[in-house]
């Protein structure tokens, strides 16, 4: 039977796209890929700390700080994939691996982040519902700028210029958010998360201050945590910042809600690796449980389907994605200026 004689597809726009993706086998698990990826990242992390110990009380350990910043980012990306159940189908192994990677590995509360990120996926770029565009130090819309007070109002005047410098604090902010999450009731497996976080901080600070003199230790922490923060912000900023935002009762159907508020970033294997596949943000938001290596293969299917139904599909280069995000921040702060 030719394509022309097949019966017309039925269901919602997303249902029709989902059938095409499923028929292509792109929702199937990739255990071999994740076994290799987890093994490589774990080996590199162990090697980095072994190198740190071998160098001893030396300024050369700052090279290890740079490497650890990249590795912490890669572990965070693995935690992200785990939270979306890209690796395991069931909750128990997902939770165990996620907390080991997040809480113990990098000092990031897996439970806190999963709750926050789930709300983001449900309502991306919605000013009242997406925690990633809630006003904090930065403001993401002119309305938020007009309502800002204190430090956000001061920063908001020039936030486009301050964005990357402020990212140097993002690593510490993630640690602090985890500490606050385990300090109050409501977090699932709160005691376990708290214990793993305490273990991470004890091992990390113990190793750094045991091997390095106090001054070198402080500089090591500043370099490591600062670069990790910049890396994390550089991964997530290109995906939604500068894309349309929603407010109030604005709620398009699922497909349009995800596609219209997301931006893909073009690039080869280096961009794919550095961003952990999140440069295919549109495909990831439509199919969060899709394994990372399948996102590239899903892209032409999704892009062609969006063209077929007349939904704009936004894709740009890495540098232009940052430029769009910074222009949006500058415009958002205009009422304050």
């Amino acid at each position: 039977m030719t394509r022309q004689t097949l019966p017309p597809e039925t269901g919602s726009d997303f249902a029709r796209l989902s059938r095409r993706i499923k028929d292509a086998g792109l929702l199937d698990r990739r255990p071999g890929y994740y076994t290799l990826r987890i093994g490589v990242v774990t080996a590199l992390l162990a090697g980095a700390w072994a190198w740190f110990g071998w160098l001893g009380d030396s300024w050369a350990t700052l090279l290890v700080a740079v490497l650890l910043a990249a590795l912490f980012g890669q572990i965070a990306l693995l935690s992200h994939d785990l939270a979306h159940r890209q690796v395991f189908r069931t909750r128990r192994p997902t939770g165990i691996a996620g907390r080991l990677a997040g809480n113990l590995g990098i000092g990031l509360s897996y439970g806190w982040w999963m709750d926050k990120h789930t709300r983001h996926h449900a309502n991306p770029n919605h000013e009242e519902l997406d925690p990633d565009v809630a006003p904090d130090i930065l403001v993401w819309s002119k309305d938020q700028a007009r309502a800002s007070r204190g430090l956000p109002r001061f920063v908001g005047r020039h936030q486009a210029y301050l964005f990357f410098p402020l990212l140097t604090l993002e690593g510490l902010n993630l640690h602090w958010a985890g500490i606050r999450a385990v300090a109050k009731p409501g977090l699932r497996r709160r005691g376990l998360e708290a214990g793993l976080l305490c273990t991470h901080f004890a091992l990390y600070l113990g190793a750094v201050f045991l091997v390095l003199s106090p001054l070198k230790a402080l500089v090591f922490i500043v370099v490591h945590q600062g670069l990790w923060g910049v890396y994390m912000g550089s991964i997530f900023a290109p995906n939604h910042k500068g894309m349309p935002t929603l407010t109030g009762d604005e709620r398009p159907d699922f497909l349009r809600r995800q596609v219209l508020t997301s931006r893909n970033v073009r690039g080869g294997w280096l961009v794919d690796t550095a961003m952990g596949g999140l440069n295919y943000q549109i495909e990831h938001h439509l199919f969060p449980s899709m394994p990372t290596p399948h996102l590239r293969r899903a892209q032409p299917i999704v892009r062609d389907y969006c063209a077929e139904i007349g939904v704009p599909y936004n894709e740009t280069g890495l540098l232009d994605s940052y430029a769009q995000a910074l222009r949006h921040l500058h415009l958002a702060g205009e009422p304050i200026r």
Side-chain angles (χ1 to χ4, degrees):
M1 183 181 290
T2 66
R3 175 69 180 173
Q4 287 74 19
T5 60
L6 285 170
E9 294 180 294
T10 59
S12 68
D13 288 336
F14 176 71
R16 291 193 292 272
L17 173 61
S18 185
R19 282 196 291 269
R20 297 184 190 185
I21 292 294
K22 187 175 181 180
D23 289 345
L26 299 179
L27 298 179
D28 296 344
R29 292 292 190 274
R30 290 289 301 272
Y33 164 82
Y34 278 108
T35 298
L36 177 62
R37 182 174 163 189
I38 292 170
V40 169
V41 172
T42 302
L44 287 173
L45 182 67
W49 282 115
W51 185 24
F52 173 80
W54 179 76
L55 288 171
D57 188 17
S58 166
W59 288 109
T61 54
L62 295 183
L63 295 174
V64 183
V66 176
L67 174 60
L68 283 173
L71 289 173
F72 269 42
Q74 286 295 311
I75 295 170
L77 288 168
L78 274 172
S79 298
H80 168 271
D81 290 6
L82 285 160
H84 283 298
R85 297 196 185 180
Q86 296 177 20
V87 184
F88 303 107
R89 290 184 183 275
T90 56
R91 176 178 294 177
R92 182 175 174 80
T94 294
I96 293 172
R99 290 181 178 91
L100 287 175
N103 295 60
L104 183 62
I106 59 176
L108 170 66
S109 170
Y110 171 79
W112 164 80
W113 183 86
M114 186 171 66
D115 173 71
K116 175 177 177 288
H117 196 62
T118 299
R119 289 184 284 127
H120 158 71
H121 265 263
N123 294 282
N125 266 23
H126 193 292
E127 290 186 29
E128 290 88 41
L129 301 175
D130 181 359
D132 287 353
V133 291
D136 192 7
I137 297 298
L138 301 176
V139 294
W140 304 103
S141 71
K142 291 183 178 181
D143 287 341
Q144 291 180 359
R146 294 186 187 98
S148 64
R149 297 291 183 273
L151 184 60
R153 191 169 185 85
F154 174 78
V155 172
R157 289 185 176 91
H158 307 290
Q159 60 182 8
Y161 302 100
L162 296 173
F163 178 69
F164 281 104
L166 284 172
L167 286 182
T168 59
L169 302 175
E170 179 60 15
L172 296 178
N173 179 55
L174 292 172
H175 292 319
W176 178 239
I179 292 170
R180 285 186 300 172
V182 301
K184 57 184 180 182
L187 183 69
R188 182 180 176 85
R189 305 301 297 273
R190 178 185 170 203
L192 175 61
E193 292 231 3
L196 290 172
L197 280 179
C198 289
T199 301
H200 168 83
F201 295 133
L203 292 175
Y204 177 84
L205 295 174
V208 171
F209 281 99
L210 180 65
V211 171
L212 301 177
S213 65
L215 176 60
K216 292 189 183 76
L218 290 174
V219 174
F220 179 93
I221 292 170
V222 168
V223 171
H224 172 219
Q225 299 293 328
L227 289 180
W228 178 45
V230 172
Y231 183 28
M232 291 292 287
S234 299
I235 291 171
F236 288 95
N239 302 330
H240 299 282
K241 308 312 179 191
M243 295 301 293
T245 57
L246 306 174
T247 58
D249 294 331
E250 290 182 88
R251 192 174 173 84
D253 66 275
F254 178 79
L255 183 142
R256 287 163 180 80
R257 190 161 72 246
Q258 305 301 334
V259 175
L260 296 178
T261 60
S262 302
R263 177 195 297 115
N264 273 19
V265 177
R266 288 190 295 268
W269 68 268
L270 182 60
V271 173
D272 287 3
T273 301
M275 298 188 68
L278 295 184
N279 47 315
Y280 302 105
Q281 188 69 191
I282 294 173
E283 289 71 29
H284 169 62
H285 260 257
L286 288 169
F287 303 99
S289 64
M290 180 182 290
T292 293
H294 288 172
L295 293 170
R296 173 185 281 272
R297 294 170 54 196
Q299 185 191 27
I301 299 174
V302 174
R303 185 176 53 205
D304 292 348
Y305 182 75
C306 286
E308 181 182 320
I309 63 174
V311 174
Y313 182 99
N314 193 290
E315 184 181 19
T316 189
L318 182 62
L319 294 181
D320 186 54
S321 72
Y322 293 136
Q324 290 184 40
L326 294 176
R327 282 196 296 269
H328 172 76
L329 281 171
H330 188 66
L331 288 173
E334 188 176 42
I336 306 174
R337 292 191 300 275

